Amino acid sequence: MNKIVLKLGGTIMVLFLVVLLPLGYVANQIFTSFYYNQVGTEIDDLSKKYARTITSFDDEQILNMFKTLADLTNKDIYIVDSNGSVIAKTGIRVGDISEEEMKQLSQGQPVRKKFMDVETESSYLGSGYPITQQDSFIGAFFVLASTNDVIKPVEKVRDLLILSAVGALFLALGLTFILSKKMSDPLLEMEQATRQIAKGNLDIRVNIPSRDELGSLGKAINDLAFETNRYRTNRKEFFANISHELRTPISYMKGYAQVLKQGLYKTEAERVQYLSIIEDETERMVRLIDDLFDLSKMEEGKIDLHMAPTDLTEVLEAALLTIKIDMQTKGLDLNTYIQKEIPYIEADGLRLQQVLMNLLGNAVRYTESGTIDVRVWYEKDWVHVEIKDTGIGIPEKELPFIFERFHRVDKSRSRELGGTGLGLAIVKNLVELQNGTITVTSNVNKGTTFYLHFPVSEEDL
Ligand code: ADP
């Protein structure tokens, strides 16, 4: 059995009872007292009128007339003399009027009293009014109304109330059933979908039933499936890439090692060339493994950065010194425009140098001829670095992806130039870990510019 239906149905039933029972009780009380009052006023009026009409108890005819009148108005009458003895009455058999009440009547005050028929045990509401003859008290006139007259209309109203309450209850139960089914059906679907996702079936999607909380839960499940799927594909690609990247240098090394072992070279120069190929490939593998190690540490958030106020200019100059030889070898010109008194930034000096070396290395690697411009300036509490080359450039559609692991615009060229395809992914991670941002603009065959932006260290503000 569907549990939401039970819970909701139960809650609504309890609520209904909590509200309806006291409400019904109060309504019943109000109606009862309303009808009692109405009947009471009616018999008060009648007893007063009748008592005033009577002047003596001697006229049998008048007494009979009252009996007929009482019959016509569906009431009973009960007339007593000043001692409380019955003078006349309709067919009822009720007890005597108490002394107390007689006393009250003799003082000119009306009396309200409940009577009980000793035989039928039906009860009556009675109103007595003193009868006077020339200002002296001679007896009392009671008009009695059966309490059935009061209870019957009240019962009618109560029946109506109960009927409508039962109707409303069934209506509410029906609505609850429909509502909870509307809620639980998508929940069951989502449960099944999440179980499928847990099993690895990541193409599954749930229907989004509405724009409420259920809808957003459905959307969250779909997003989860989508993201997990993307992660899985990404991981697959990553492993495929790694094994490919490792296999290439290994096959080179194996090949050339065999050539050397079997003495398949003609000159000493050839032998040295093969050995340097092996050495180069070993170096590439070391770099690749280092890069992978860095990247995985960064992605797991396990890299330790020694953040401290750092002079970016100093770090940049050290990087430029290292890269200068490569530039000279390729015949590239270097122009630097470094603003004076650049404030410190919060960074890890070694990691910052790694970032700059990587960007400068790429600039040299992907530029055949021309210049590399390096600019550093300070503006609005931020330190900016620009590294601009006049190299092969990056096509616009590739720009959004160049910071992804193993993404290369031209695979064979990157390999030829000794790239691992991980450099920019590491750069982006490192820059962001040091609270900075990196952006790029590029024109094919004209050149590429990378920009770095770092907030000025708090201590320097
Ligand atoms: P790689 O080791 O292949 O250089 P990177 O992650 O450093 O890997 O760069 C990713 C790709 O972005 C490179 O393969 C190259 O196609 C492109 N790229 C990076 N820097 C430049 C640049 N300065 N000029 C042109 N292309 C670049």
Side-chain angles (χ1 to χ4, degrees):
M1 181 62 183
N2 207 323
K3 281 195 181 138
I4 286 189
V5 175
L6 278 184
K7 278 186 196 160
L8 255 179
T11 314
I12 287 188
M13 283 283 272
V14 169
L15 266 180
F16 237 87
L17 293 179
V18 164
V19 174
L20 269 193
L21 283 182
L23 204 74
Y25 177 76
V26 170
N28 191 37
Q29 289 300 98
I30 290 175
F31 278 117
T32 312
S33 75
F34 172 76
Y35 280 109
Y36 262 110
N37 270 340
Q38 220 184 15
V39 172
T41 344
E42 195 187 343
I43 55 176
D44 280 353
D45 277 356
L46 280 177
S47 64
K48 188 171 169 185
K49 264 187 214 149
Y50 293 167
R52 279 186 181 161
T53 327
I54 279 194
T55 44
S56 82
F57 297 139
D58 303 332
D59 196 339
E60 192 75 18
Q61 241 179 342
I62 287 192
L63 293 178
N64 282 337
M65 183 196 77
F66 279 122
K67 282 187 195 165
T68 324
L69 257 179
D71 214 28
L72 280 175
T73 49
N74 202 17
K75 303 275 178 305
D76 284 289
I77 58 167
Y78 195 79
I79 306 171
V80 291
D81 65 12
S82 55
N83 302 319
S85 322
V86 181
I87 303 290
K89 67 176 177 69
T90 43
I92 41 167
R93 285 157 293 272
V94 291
D96 288 336
I97 314 292
S98 73
E99 263 181 44
E100 187 68 24
E101 286 154 349
M102 283 313 293
K103 199 173 159 205
Q104 201 179 325
L105 285 162
S106 67
Q107 285 163 357
Q109 281 168 17
V111 162
R112 270 265 184 101
K113 165 179 172 65
K114 278 208 171 149
F115 291 88
M116 172 82 91
D117 191 311
V118 282
E119 253 171 53
T120 58
E121 286 197 353
S122 43
S123 63
Y124 295 86
L125 183 67
S127 167
Y129 202 84
I131 306 168
T132 50
Q133 199 175 30
Q134 284 144 12
D135 284 344
S136 65
F137 174 68
I138 59 162
F141 200 118
F142 280 87
V143 177
L144 280 69
S146 164
T147 42
N148 272 349
D149 291 356
V150 179
I151 290 161
K152 275 222 177 97
V154 172
E155 269 176 359
K156 241 187 209 164
V157 172
R158 193 173 0 186
D159 287 352
L160 265 175
L161 272 180
I162 291 174
L163 203 72
S164 53
V166 169
L169 194 71
F170 275 109
L171 199 72
L173 277 181
L175 282 178
T176 313
F177 183 74
I178 295 171
L179 192 79
S180 50
K181 222 174 144 38
K182 264 192 119 173
M183 273 169 69
S184 59
D185 281 357
L187 278 177
L188 287 176
E189 189 195 331
M190 285 181 212
E191 186 213 327
Q192 265 155 19
T194 34
R195 284 193 196 288
Q196 288 290 322
I197 291 172
K199 275 189 198 153
N201 181 4
L202 298 177
D203 293 324
I204 200 151
R205 294 287 179 274
V206 293
N207 284 320
I208 293 171
S210 45
R211 290 230 226 131
D212 52 14
E213 290 88 338
L214 273 180
S216 53
L217 177 63
K219 198 174 167 306
I221 291 174
N222 285 347
D223 289 351
L224 175 75
F226 180 78
E227 283 302 322
T228 318
N229 205 3
R230 212 173 64 151
Y231 176 75
R232 190 165 68 176
T233 320
N234 210 322
R235 213 176 61 140
K236 255 194 227 158
E237 272 174 19
F238 185 57
F239 281 116
N241 277 328
I242 292 178
S243 38
H244 176 76
E245 292 297 327
L246 288 173
R247 202 173 294 134
T248 324
I250 288 173
S251 61
Y252 271 102
M253 283 152 71
K254 194 175 165 195
Y256 285 105
Q258 275 170 354
V259 168
L260 289 171
K261 190 176 160 195
Q262 290 161 11
L264 295 173
Y265 52 88
K266 294 195 186 89
T267 60
E268 176 63 14
E270 217 176 308
R271 192 181 75 96
V272 173
Q273 192 199 343
Y274 294 161
L275 278 172
S276 7
I277 290 177
I278 293 178
E279 195 181 10
D280 284 354
E281 293 300 325
T282 318
E283 245 170 51
R284 179 207 294 281
M285 268 185 63
V286 170
R287 243 194 345 262
L288 183 67
I289 289 166
D290 283 349
D291 280 359
L292 274 174
F293 211 69
D294 265 1
L295 203 61
S296 77
K297 269 201 293 190
M298 273 180 250
E299 287 186 353
E300 282 173 30
K302 281 193 184 145
I303 190 162
D304 277 335
L305 291 183
H306 304 288
M307 302 290 277
T310 308
D311 183 357
L312 184 137
T313 322
E314 206 177 279
V315 179
L316 177 67
E317 267 155 11
L320 284 172
L321 207 66
T322 324
I323 212 86
K324 226 169 209 163
I325 308 156
D326 291 346
M327 284 192 193
Q328 279 162 0
T329 323
K330 276 189 108 173
L332 300 171
D333 290 329
L334 171 71
N335 299 317
T336 53
Y337 309 90
I338 301 176
Q339 214 179 53
K340 280 205 178 77
E341 289 176 14
I342 292 289
Y344 280 20
I345 60 168
E346 201 65 36
D348 175 328
L350 280 179
R351 294 300 186 176
L352 187 61
Q353 184 163 353
Q354 187 180 352
V355 166
L356 294 169
M357 287 288 293
N358 229 306
L359 294 176
L360 288 168
N362 275 351
V364 175
R365 191 179 297 151
Y366 299 105
T367 307
E368 284 315 312
S369 62
T371 54
I372 291 172
D373 294 345
V374 178
R375 216 177 291 264
V376 180
W377 74 102
Y378 161 64
E379 200 180 318
K380 290 183 190 149
D381 300 336
W382 285 74
V383 174
H384 308 267
V385 184
E386 178 190 304
I387 297 171
K388 183 176 176 191
D389 63 49
T390 53
I392 56 168
I394 304 164
E396 205 181 326
K397 66 174 181 18
E398 297 279 348
L399 277 180
F401 308 108
I402 57 163
F403 294 105
E404 283 179 12
R405 310 177 288 209
F406 295 120
H407 189 89
R408 291 139 150 180
V409 177
D410 181 341
K411 271 201 190 317
S412 58
R413 168 122 62 160
S414 158
R415 236 201 85 75
E416 239 169 63
L417 300 171
T420 60
L422 292 174
L424 285 182
I426 293 175
V427 163
K428 189 173 161 67
N429 264 301
L430 280 179
V431 168
E432 284 170 2
L433 284 170
Q434 295 175 88
N435 310 317
T437 52
I438 180 166
T439 50
V440 57
T441 59
S442 189
N443 279 314
V444 175
N445 294 330
K446 291 221 171 91
T448 307
T449 313
F450 281 92
Y451 298 92
L452 296 172
H453 317 273
F454 291 101
V456 168
S457 165
E458 300 261 314
E459 285 177 28
D460 245 10
L461 278 176

